[in-house]
Amino acid sequence: ALVDRYLARIEAYDDDLNAILTFNDTARKRAERLDERFAAEGLVGPLHGVPVVLKDNMDTHDLPTTAGSTALSGSVPDEDAFVVDRLRAAGGVIVAKANLQEFAFGVDTISSLGGATRNAYDLGRRPAGSSGGTAAAIAANLGAVGMGSDTCSSVRSPAAFNDLVGLR
């Protein structure tokens, strides 16, 4: 039910934010499997069933990883990045991948694949940094946890611009 609610929020609010590049069509199935496992064995880990939004420069074996570029549209890696593997092992449910400054190089959260992301608190403002899509998504409650990456203030600036806490 929690994953359904977050997916519904993405559907309802992301047209204005433009924070999400890709929905995870298998998120509901993963959540159902986690529910079944919980009934039989208890928690998988500390993130059991928690909806997660990833910046789209983190490899996922089941979703495209594009870095926001049309040049990489549809590119699906063979395996998960280390951090994604750990999130899944802890019970996290990847619900979506977020827009970013193309190739994580810049401060405006604009990509050729996703266009410009808007700030969750003021659609006329930018969310800042290459992790701005993740920050806007979390600020708008499109996921419970968001993962960004930091090249040069790419976690700290979006957190500050979107009234969040970012850990680098």
Side-chain angles (χ1 to χ4, degrees):
L2 183 62
V3 168
D4 283 338
R5 287 183 181 183
Y6 277 103
L7 291 173
R9 283 192 64 80
I10 292 169
E11 184 75 29
Y13 297 107
D14 191 55
D15 282 347
D16 290 332
L17 289 174
N18 202 34
I20 302 299
L21 288 177
T22 306
F23 295 91
N24 185 354
D25 293 334
T26 64
R28 285 183 179 95
K29 288 181 181 166
R30 166 124 168 108
E32 289 170 5
R33 287 192 310 272
L34 286 167
D35 285 346
E36 292 166 3
R37 188 157 171 199
F38 178 77
E41 304 170 28
L43 292 174
V44 167
L47 294 177
H48 188 107
V50 173
V52 178
V53 175
L54 297 175
K55 182 177 179 180
D56 192 28
N57 66 345
M58 296 181 181
D59 283 351
T60 48
H61 74 275
D62 54 352
L63 297 167
T65 300
T66 68
S69 176
T70 55
L72 296 174
S73 179
S75 174
V76 180
D78 293 331
E79 57 188 44
D80 288 340
F82 175 80
V83 70
V84 175
D85 183 58
R86 298 298 302 242
L87 287 166
R88 292 188 206 253
V93 178
I94 310 305
V95 293
K97 294 188 82 176
N99 198 14
L100 63 152
Q101 180 68 34
E102 192 157 343
F103 294 114
F105 191 74
V107 298
D108 290 321
T109 317
I110 300 170
S111 69
S112 62
L113 188 61
T117 297
R118 294 167 197 85
N119 188 294
Y121 292 101
D122 183 344
L123 297 177
R125 296 181 183 265
R126 63 189 180 94
S130 66
S131 298
T134 302
I138 299 306
N141 201 24
L142 306 185
V145 173
M147 296 299 295
S149 63
D150 198 313
T151 308
C152 177
S153 182
S154 302
V155 170
R156 294 165 289 154
S157 290
F161 277 52
N162 291 276
D163 200 26
L164 299 168
V165 172
L167 299 175
R168 179 173 187 247

